[in-house]
Amino acid sequence: MNTSYLIRYVSYNLHTIVKTWEHPAIENQSPSIFCGRPDLKDDFFDLKYFFSLIKSIKKVENPISIPLLFGISNTLYYAYITSSELDFLIGPVRFSTPIHMNQTIENISLSKEDISTISICEFSGFASQVLLVHNLMHQNCIDLDDLIQFNCIDKSLHSSIMEDYSSLVFDRREESQPHNPYDQELREFTSIELGNVQMLRKSLQEDYIGKIGTLAKDEVRNMRNRGIVVVTLASRAAIRGGLLPEISFSLSDIFIQKLEEESNPEVILNMMHQFEFQYAEMVAELNAQKVGRPKKDQNPRIEQCKDYIFQHLHEKISVHNMAKELYLNSNYLSELFHQHEGIKITDFILREKVNLTKNLLSYSPYTYSQIATYLGFSSQSHLGKVFKKHTGFTLKQYRDIYGVKEF
């Protein structure tokens, strides 16, 4: 192991100091110090605080095998990594957003001069460097979850959760208020998966004794959280029903953002159900397109092909480039798609571009020329001809009839 290179690599990536000791690190042993920055000093941090922290942890827990992350007054952060050869102390760094650490040193006063030269990084970048050092120096590797679990999760959290759970269960029993029945929820999201709008409407109209769970103490936040859960479950149900993940996840992002913008709980509830119906109707439309088509086993190549198309709808899509991306012959891909979907791949691309054009004409203020350019058409005239062929409307006629009048 070229530890000298590793030390330099970490120091230059984090713009900070790396101290090392021959294992085990002891207080009266001076560390080797490397820092690529001549302007960076760590004079305010006496190592006696560090060794005092290490001793206190070892008294309570097993000898440290996972890197120890600790902070100074929730402002500066360090990482201590042990191995059979060397022990490392990496830091100081600052995070763009303060991070809670289970271990902190509070009795050090920091001035603006102390912290002004300390590099700012994201926690994820710092953690990746810490994991790199640890995993190169150990046979048993750890991941980010291990690092966070050991250093950032309050050990009392589990006990607190179980206490709240016990209290909630007891209160619910006393009040005879169970949660809403699971079979109703099953019918609700199965109807989306099947694209059955009527079944969804009936499931939402069901009456039951149960109570919807409380997801936040604030009424608006509680309803928003509930909406996020429902949209998430609905998006997965739609994917199971055949909606492409790229479309479903993108819609989910938009729906959740809309929920976050609303502050009326009743309106949020209504929006949440509208979004469920949107998913069910899209699956129903997919099912209608499949009517009369011979049913075949799902082909992962076709799904990859569709994913590519929806990710590049705003470009001029070349079957040759798509086939190259999927490591297939373009003629073979075209034939496979036609056999499986009952439509030429080029016609499928145009159909989806027309569908997106409908959306843009209805819900965006973009000009016809801007839409044509965005979707990879050679001109507004070209888009107009394709759109008229598929819908029977000119671009202007469609916008006049279905377009939102104000934005």
Side-chain angles (χ1 to χ4, degrees):
M1 169 66 68
N2 188 341
T3 54
S4 296
Y5 177 79
L6 178 62
I7 291 166
R8 291 171 61 87
Y9 180 84
V10 172
S11 175
Y12 278 106
N13 269 274
L14 295 176
H15 310 292
T16 192
I17 302 168
V18 178
K19 298 183 176 76
T20 57
W21 294 262
E22 290 186 5
H23 182 78
I26 53 178
E27 192 167 353
N28 59 2
Q29 177 187 354
S30 297
S32 298
I33 301 174
F34 179 84
C35 181
R37 293 177 52 194
D39 64 318
L40 182 59
K41 307 296 180 186
D42 197 9
D43 297 335
F44 57 88
F45 177 46
D46 194 322
L47 286 175
K48 69 180 182 182
Y49 295 112
F50 162 65
F51 283 105
S52 175
L53 177 64
I54 299 302
K55 288 175 184 177
S56 67
I57 294 174
K58 288 186 176 181
K59 286 179 181 178
V60 178
E61 306 183 33
N62 292 326
I64 299 167
S65 57
I66 293 178
L68 171 68
L69 308 183
F70 64 94
I72 296 180
S73 303
N74 287 325
T75 304
L76 304 182
Y77 298 89
Y78 294 79
Y80 173 55
I81 307 163
T82 67
S83 73
S84 59
E85 300 176 27
L86 290 174
D87 288 359
F88 300 77
L89 180 63
I90 302 172
V93 299
R94 287 186 289 165
F95 297 143
S96 55
T97 302
I99 302 292
H100 165 78
M101 296 294 177
N102 291 335
Q103 304 298 333
T104 60
I105 299 174
E106 298 291 350
N107 54 346
I108 297 178
S109 59
L110 300 172
S111 66
K112 288 184 177 179
E113 290 75 18
D114 289 331
I115 65 175
S116 62
T117 59
I118 307 303
S119 174
I120 298 176
C121 65
E122 298 296 329
F123 173 76
S124 58
F126 181 69
S128 67
Q129 296 296 308
V130 173
L131 290 171
L132 174 68
V133 174
H134 179 276
N135 291 337
L136 286 176
M137 301 299 293
H138 292 78
Q139 288 187 341
N140 296 326
C141 294
I142 63 170
D143 58 24
L144 183 59
D145 285 341
D146 298 319
L147 199 63
I148 292 175
Q149 181 73 28
F150 182 75
N151 291 285
C152 305
I153 304 297
D154 190 341
K155 300 295 188 294
S156 63
L157 180 62
H158 177 72
S159 299
S160 174
I161 290 173
M162 296 313 295
E163 287 175 12
D164 290 344
Y165 165 73
S166 299
S167 175
L168 184 63
V169 170
F170 180 80
D171 291 344
R172 284 259 166 96
R173 276 190 188 147
E174 289 293 301
E175 298 170 5
S176 299
Q177 284 189 331
H179 276 86
N180 59 308
Y182 173 65
D183 58 339
Q184 183 278 330
E185 181 181 302
L186 196 61
R187 286 189 290 275
E188 181 176 339
F189 294 105
T190 299
S191 64
I192 295 174
E193 182 177 346
L194 297 174
N196 191 327
V197 177
Q198 286 300 113
M199 180 179 172
L200 175 60
R201 184 170 286 110
K202 288 180 180 178
S203 71
L204 293 175
Q205 292 172 348
E206 290 181 29
D207 184 26
Y208 49 80
I209 300 174
K211 179 182 178 183
I212 299 294
T214 302
L215 304 181
K217 294 179 181 178
D218 176 77
E219 183 183 7
V220 175
R221 184 69 262 167
N222 175 63
M223 190 57 75
R224 284 175 181 158
N225 288 347
R226 181 180 161 193
I228 291 170
V229 171
V230 168
V231 167
T232 301
L233 292 174
S235 69
R236 272 59 178 179
I239 290 171
R240 293 194 298 273
L243 194 63
L244 285 175
E246 182 69 23
I247 294 177
S248 188
F249 291 148
S250 296
L251 281 173
S252 174
D253 293 344
I254 295 168
F255 291 159
I256 290 172
Q257 289 173 32
K258 294 299 181 185
L259 292 173
E260 288 291 341
E261 293 169 4
E262 182 54 54
S263 56
N264 185 322
E266 293 299 323
V267 174
I268 294 173
L269 177 63
N270 183 271
M271 290 170 64
M272 175 176 72
H273 292 324
Q274 282 189 45
F275 298 153
E276 289 186 275
F277 280 109
Q278 179 83 41
Y279 275 124
E281 288 164 0
M282 294 181 79
V283 174
E285 185 177 344
L286 284 173
N287 291 338
Q289 292 173 5
K290 295 175 184 176
V291 173
R293 192 185 308 165
K295 189 171 181 179
K296 298 177 181 172
D297 294 334
Q298 189 177 32
N299 189 310
R301 289 295 192 187
I302 299 301
E303 297 309 306
Q304 290 172 354
C305 181
K306 288 182 178 179
D307 283 338
Y308 180 94
I309 291 170
F310 283 101
Q311 289 170 12
H312 296 80
L313 267 182
H314 60 286
E315 305 170 13
K316 185 174 181 180
I317 301 175
S318 160
V319 177
H320 173 76
N321 290 341
M322 183 174 11
K324 186 177 179 181
E325 183 83 12
L326 301 177
Y327 300 100
L328 294 174
N329 176 276
S330 57
N331 291 332
Y332 171 75
L333 177 60
S334 297
E335 182 63 28
L336 182 67
F337 193 94
H338 188 265
Q339 288 178 357
H340 192 274
E341 296 296 312
I343 184 175
K344 291 181 180 179
I345 193 168
T346 50
D347 291 339
F348 180 86
I349 293 169
L350 285 178
R351 187 183 76 188
E352 296 309 318
K353 282 183 180 283
V354 167
N355 287 337
L356 186 51
T357 301
K358 288 180 182 178
N359 187 282
L360 292 171
L361 289 172
S362 298
Y363 302 111
S364 83
Y366 300 123
T367 65
Y368 308 134
S369 178
Q370 287 173 325
I371 294 173
T373 301
Y374 176 75
L375 293 176
F377 286 91
S378 58
S379 65
Q380 175 184 323
S381 175
H382 182 203
L383 170 61
K385 289 178 182 178
V386 172
F387 191 82
K388 181 76 181 289
K389 179 180 177 182
H390 281 77
T391 67
F393 294 101
T394 65
L395 299 173
K396 184 178 185 305
Q397 287 171 340
Y398 192 90
R399 172 163 274 174
D400 287 345
I401 297 172
Y402 299 106
V404 174
K405 304 307 177 188
E406 296 180 4
F407 294 93

